[in-house]
Coordinates of all heavy atoms in Angstrom, one line a residue:
E267 N 0.8 -1.2 0.0 CA 0.0 0.0 0.0 C 0.9 1.3 0.0 O 0.6 2.2 -0.7 CB -0.9 0.0 1.2 CG -1.9 1.2 1.3 CD -2.7 1.2 2.6 OE1 -2.5 0.2 3.5 OE2 -3.5 2.2 2.7
E268 N 2.0 1.3 0.8 CA 2.8 2.4 0.8 C 3.6 2.6 -0.4 O 3.7 3.8 -0.9 CB 3.8 2.2 2.0 CG 3.2 2.4 3.4 CD 4.1 2.0 4.6 OE1 5.1 1.2 4.3 OE2 3.8 2.4 5.6
V269 N 4.0 1.6 -1.1 CA 4.7 1.6 -2.4 C 3.7 2.3 -3.4 O 4.1 3.2 -4.3 CB 5.1 0.3 -2.9 CG1 5.6 0.4 -4.3 CG2 6.3 -0.2 -2.0
A270 N 2.4 1.8 -3.3 CA 1.5 2.4 -4.3 C 1.3 3.9 -4.1 O 1.2 4.7 -5.1 CB 0.1 1.7 -4.2
R271 N 1.3 4.4 -2.9 CA 1.2 5.7 -2.6 C 2.4 6.6 -3.1 O 2.2 7.6 -3.7 CB 1.0 6.1 -1.1 CG -0.3 5.6 -0.6 CD -0.5 5.5 0.9 NE -0.4 6.8 1.5 CZ -0.4 7.1 2.8 NH1 -0.4 6.1 3.6 NH2 -0.3 8.4 3.2
I272 N 3.5 6.1 -2.9 CA 4.8 6.7 -3.5 C 4.7 6.7 -4.9 O 5.0 7.8 -5.5 CB 6.0 5.8 -2.9 CG1 6.2 6.0 -1.4 CG2 7.3 6.4 -3.7 CD1 7.3 5.1 -0.9
C273 N 4.4 5.6 -5.6 CA 4.3 5.6 -7.1 C 3.3 6.6 -7.6 O 3.4 7.2 -8.6 CB 4.0 4.2 -7.6 SG 5.3 3.1 -7.3
G274 N 2.1 6.7 -6.8 CA 1.1 7.6 -7.1 C 1.7 9.1 -7.2 O 1.3 9.9 -8.1
E275 N 2.6 9.4 -6.3 CA 3.1 10.7 -6.3 C 4.2 10.9 -7.4 O 4.2 12.0 -8.0 CB 3.8 11.0 -4.9 CG 2.8 11.1 -3.7 CD 1.9 12.3 -3.8 OE1 2.4 13.3 -4.5 OE2 0.8 12.2 -3.3
L276 N 4.9 9.7 -7.7 CA 5.9 9.8 -8.8 C 5.1 10.0 -10.2 O 5.7 10.7 -11.1 CB 6.7 8.5 -8.8 CG 7.8 8.5 -7.7 CD1 8.3 7.0 -7.6 CD2 8.9 9.4 -7.9
V277 N 4.0 9.3 -10.3 CA 3.3 9.4 -11.7 C 3.0 10.9 -12.0 O 2.9 11.2 -13.1 CB 2.0 8.5 -11.7 CG1 1.1 8.8 -12.8 CG2 2.5 7.1 -11.7
K278 N 2.7 11.6 -10.9 CA 2.3 13.1 -11.2 C 3.4 13.9 -11.8 O 3.2 15.0 -12.3 CB 2.0 13.7 -9.8 CG 0.6 13.1 -9.1 CD 0.4 13.7 -7.8 CE -0.8 13.0 -7.1 NZ -1.1 13.6 -5.7
E279 N 4.6 13.4 -11.7 CA 5.8 14.1 -12.4 C 5.6 14.3 -13.9 O 6.0 15.2 -14.5 CB 7.0 13.5 -12.1 CG 7.5 13.6 -10.6 CD 7.8 15.0 -10.2 OE1 8.6 15.6 -10.9 OE2 7.4 15.4 -9.1
G280 N 5.0 13.3 -14.6 CA 4.7 13.3 -15.9 C 6.1 13.0 -16.7 O 7.1 12.8 -16.1
G281 N 6.0 13.1 -18.0 CA 7.1 12.9 -18.8 C 7.9 11.6 -18.6 O 7.2 10.5 -18.4
F282 N 9.1 11.6 -18.6 CA 9.9 10.5 -18.5 C 9.8 9.7 -17.2 O 9.7 8.5 -17.1 CB 11.5 10.9 -18.7 CG 12.4 9.8 -18.7 CD1 12.3 8.8 -19.6 CD2 13.3 9.5 -17.6 CE1 13.2 7.7 -19.6 CE2 14.2 8.5 -17.6 CZ 14.2 7.5 -18.6
I283 N 9.6 10.6 -16.1 CA 9.5 10.0 -14.7 C 8.2 9.2 -14.7 O 8.0 8.2 -14.1 CB 9.5 11.0 -13.6 CG1 10.7 11.8 -13.6 CG2 9.1 10.5 -12.3 CD1 12.0 10.9 -13.3
R284 N 7.2 9.7 -15.4 CA 5.8 9.0 -15.5 C 6.0 7.6 -16.1 O 5.5 6.6 -15.6 CB 4.8 9.8 -16.1 CG 3.4 9.3 -16.2 CD 2.5 10.0 -17.2 NE 1.2 9.4 -17.2 CZ 0.2 9.7 -16.4 NH1 0.4 10.6 -15.4 NH2 -0.9 9.2 -16.6
I285 N 6.7 7.5 -17.2 CA 6.9 6.4 -18.0 C 7.7 5.4 -17.1 O 7.4 4.1 -17.0 CB 7.6 6.6 -19.3 CG1 6.8 7.5 -20.2 CG2 8.0 5.2 -19.9 CD1 7.5 8.0 -21.4
V286 N 8.8 5.9 -16.4 CA 9.5 4.9 -15.5 C 8.7 4.4 -14.4 O 8.7 3.2 -14.2 CB 10.7 5.7 -15.0 CG1 11.5 5.0 -13.9 CG2 11.7 6.1 -16.0
T287 N 7.9 5.2 -13.8 CA 7.0 4.7 -12.8 C 6.0 3.7 -13.2 O 5.8 2.7 -12.5 CB 6.3 6.0 -12.2 OG1 7.2 7.0 -11.7 CG2 5.4 5.6 -11.0
Q288 N 5.4 3.9 -14.3 CA 4.4 3.0 -14.8 C 5.1 1.7 -15.1 O 4.5 0.6 -14.9 CB 3.7 3.6 -16.1 CG 2.8 4.7 -15.8 CD 2.1 5.4 -17.1 OE1 2.7 5.4 -18.1 NE2 1.0 6.0 -16.9
T289 N 6.3 1.8 -15.7 CA 7.1 0.5 -15.9 C 7.4 -0.2 -14.7 O 7.2 -1.4 -14.5 CB 8.4 0.8 -16.7 OG1 8.1 1.6 -17.9 CG2 9.2 -0.5 -17.0
F290 N 7.7 0.6 -13.7 CA 8.1 0.0 -12.3 C 6.7 -0.6 -11.7 O 6.8 -1.8 -11.1 CB 8.5 1.0 -11.4 CG 8.7 0.6 -10.0 CD1 9.7 -0.3 -9.7 CD2 7.9 1.1 -9.0 CE1 9.9 -0.8 -8.3 CE2 8.1 0.7 -7.7 CZ 9.1 -0.2 -7.4
I291 N 5.5 0.0 -11.9 CA 4.4 -0.7 -11.4 C 4.0 -1.9 -12.1 O 3.5 -2.9 -11.5 CB 3.2 0.4 -11.6 CG1 3.4 1.6 -10.7 CG2 1.9 -0.3 -11.3 CD1 2.4 2.7 -10.9
V292 N 4.2 -2.0 -13.4 CA 4.0 -3.2 -14.2 C 4.9 -4.3 -13.6 O 4.5 -5.5 -13.4 CB 4.2 -3.0 -15.6 CG1 4.2 -4.4 -16.4 CG2 3.1 -2.1 -16.2
Q293 N 6.2 -4.0 -13.4 CA 7.1 -5.0 -12.8 C 6.7 -5.4 -11.5 O 6.9 -6.6 -11.1 CB 8.5 -4.3 -12.8 CG 9.2 -4.0 -14.0 CD 10.5 -3.3 -14.1 OE1 10.8 -2.7 -12.9 NE2 11.3 -3.3 -15.0
L294 N 6.1 -4.5 -10.6 CA 5.7 -4.9 -9.3 C 4.6 -5.9 -9.4 O 4.5 -6.9 -8.8 CB 5.3 -3.6 -8.5 CG 6.4 -2.8 -7.9 CD1 5.8 -1.6 -7.2 CD2 7.3 -3.6 -7.0
E295 N 3.6 -5.6 -10.3 CA 2.5 -6.4 -10.5 C 2.8 -7.8 -11.0 O 2.4 -8.8 -10.5 CB 1.5 -5.8 -11.5 CG 0.8 -4.6 -10.9 CD -0.2 -4.9 -9.8 OE1 -0.7 -6.0 -9.8 OE2 -0.2 -4.2 -8.7
R296 N 3.8 -7.8 -11.9 CA 4.2 -9.1 -12.4 C 5.0 -9.9 -11.3 O 4.7 -11.1 -11.1 CB 5.3 -9.0 -13.6 CG 5.7 -10.2 -14.2 CD 6.4 -10.1 -15.5 NE 7.6 -9.3 -15.3 CZ 7.7 -8.1 -15.9 NH1 6.7 -7.6 -16.6 NH2 8.8 -7.3 -15.8
K297 N 5.8 -9.2 -10.5 CA 6.4 -9.9 -9.4 C 5.4 -10.4 -8.3 O 5.6 -11.5 -7.8 CB 7.4 -8.9 -8.7 CG 8.2 -9.5 -7.5 CD 9.2 -8.5 -7.0 CE 9.9 -9.1 -5.7 NZ 10.8 -8.0 -5.1
K298 N 4.4 -9.6 -8.2 CA 3.4 -9.9 -7.2 C 2.7 -11.2 -7.7 O 2.4 -12.2 -6.9 CB 2.4 -8.9 -7.1 CG 1.2 -9.1 -6.2 CD 0.3 -7.9 -6.0 CE -0.9 -8.2 -5.2 NZ -1.9 -7.1 -5.0
R299 N 2.3 -11.2 -9.0 CA 1.7 -12.4 -9.5 C 2.5 -13.7 -9.5 O 2.1 -14.7 -9.2 CB 1.2 -12.1 -11.0 CG 0.0 -11.2 -11.1 CD -0.6 -11.4 -12.5 NE 0.3 -10.9 -13.5 CZ 0.4 -9.7 -13.9 NH1 -0.2 -8.8 -13.4 NH2 1.3 -9.4 -14.9
E300 N 3.8 -13.4 -9.7 CA 4.8 -14.6 -9.6 C 4.9 -15.1 -8.2 O 4.9 -16.3 -8.0 CB 6.1 -14.2 -10.1 CG 6.2 -13.9 -11.6 CD 7.6 -13.3 -12.0 OE1 8.4 -13.0 -11.1 OE2 7.8 -13.2 -13.2
E301 N 4.9 -14.2 -7.3 CA 5.0 -14.6 -5.9 C 3.7 -15.4 -5.5 O 3.7 -16.4 -4.7 CB 5.1 -13.5 -5.0 CG 6.5 -12.9 -5.0 CD 6.7 -11.7 -4.2 OE1 5.7 -11.1 -3.6 OE2 7.8 -11.1 -4.0
Q302 N 2.5 -14.9 -5.9 CA 1.2 -15.5 -5.6 C 1.2 -16.9 -6.3 O 0.7 -17.9 -5.6 CB 0.0 -14.6 -6.2 CG -0.1 -13.4 -5.3 CD -1.2 -12.5 -5.9 OE1 -1.5 -12.6 -7.1 NE2 -1.8 -11.6 -5.1
T303 N 1.6 -16.9 -7.5 CA 1.7 -18.3 -8.3 C 2.5 -19.2 -7.5 O 2.1 -20.5 -7.3 CB 2.1 -18.1 -9.8 OG1 1.1 -17.2 -10.4 CG2 2.0 -19.4 -10.4
L304 N 3.7 -18.8 -7.2 CA 4.7 -19.7 -6.5 C 4.1 -20.2 -5.2 O 4.1 -21.4 -4.9 CB 5.9 -19.0 -6.2 CG 7.0 -19.8 -5.5 CD1 7.6 -20.9 -6.4 CD2 8.3 -18.8 -5.1
L305 N 3.4 -19.2 -4.4 CA 2.7 -19.7 -3.2 C 1.7 -20.6 -3.4 O 1.5 -21.7 -2.7 CB 2.2 -18.4 -2.5 CG 1.4 -18.7 -1.2 CD1 2.3 -19.2 -0.1 CD2 0.8 -17.3 -0.7
L306 N 0.8 -20.4 -4.3 CA -0.4 -21.2 -4.7 C 0.0 -22.6 -5.2 O -0.6 -23.6 -4.8 CB -1.3 -20.6 -5.7 CG -2.1 -19.4 -5.3 CD1 -2.9 -18.7 -6.4 CD2 -2.9 -19.6 -4.1
D307 N 1.1 -22.7 -6.0 CA 1.5 -24.0 -6.5 C 2.3 -24.8 -5.5 O 2.7 -25.9 -5.9 CB 2.4 -23.7 -7.7 CG 1.5 -23.2 -9.0 OD1 0.3 -23.5 -8.8 OD2 2.1 -22.8 -10.0
N308 N 2.6 -24.3 -4.4 CA 3.5 -25.1 -3.4 C 2.6 -25.4 -2.1 O 3.3 -25.7 -1.0 CB 4.7 -24.3 -3.0 CG 5.7 -24.4 -4.1 OD1 6.4 -25.4 -4.2 ND2 5.7 -23.4 -5.0
I309 N 1.3 -25.4 -2.3 CA 0.5 -25.9 -1.2 C -0.4 -27.0 -1.6 O -0.7 -27.2 -2.8 CB -0.5 -24.8 -0.6 CG1 -1.3 -24.2 -1.7 CG2 0.5 -23.6 0.1 CD1 -2.3 -23.1 -1.1
E310 N -0.7 -28.0 -0.7 CA -1.5 -29.2 -1.1 C -3.0 -28.8 -1.3 O -3.6 -29.6 -2.0 CB -1.4 -30.2 0.0 CG 0.0 -30.7 0.1 CD 0.2 -31.8 1.2 OE1 -0.9 -32.1 1.8 OE2 1.3 -32.3 1.4
T311 N -3.4 -27.7 -0.7 CA -4.9 -27.3 -0.9 C -5.1 -27.0 -2.4 O -4.4 -26.3 -2.9 CB -5.3 -26.3 0.0 OG1 -5.1 -26.7 1.4 CG2 -6.7 -25.9 -0.1
Q312 N -6.3 -27.5 -2.9 CA -6.6 -27.2 -4.3 C -7.3 -25.9 -4.3 O -8.2 -25.6 -3.5 CB -7.5 -28.3 -4.8 CG -6.9 -29.7 -4.8 CD -8.0 -30.7 -4.9 OE1 -9.0 -30.6 -5.7 NE2 -8.0 -31.8 -4.1
I313 N -6.8 -25.0 -5.2 CA -7.4 -23.6 -5.3 C -7.7 -23.3 -6.7 O -6.9 -23.6 -7.7 CB -6.4 -22.5 -4.7 CG1 -6.1 -22.8 -3.3 CG2 -6.9 -21.2 -4.9 CD1 -4.9 -21.9 -2.7

């Protein structure tokens, strides 16, 4: 949540900083999904 607030402030810069921030957000989301997938795939409970 705190990272999202920081990124929200960075996006307001516009231009190159906005592009970098959006790219970073995409990377964060991909990392988050990878972590979730890794977690889900390593438990015995069916989900």
Side-chain angles (χ1 to χ4, degrees):
E267 181 183 0
E268 290 171 334
V269 170
R271 289 169 65 184
I272 294 170
C273 290
E275 292 296 328
L276 287 168
V277 168
K278 295 176 183 178
E279 289 293 316
F282 183 64
I283 298 300
R284 180 186 182 90
I285 295 171
V286 170
T287 303
Q288 289 174 336
T289 302
F290 174 68
I291 291 173
V292 171
Q293 291 173 342
L294 284 180
E295 287 298 322
R296 184 168 60 248
K297 182 178 181 182
K298 179 180 177 181
R299 285 196 299 272
E300 289 173 352
E301 289 177 350
Q302 289 176 338
T303 300
L304 183 63
L305 176 64
L306 293 178
D307 284 345
N308 282 277
I309 59 177
E310 295 182 359
T311 298
Q312 301 160 44
I313 300 175

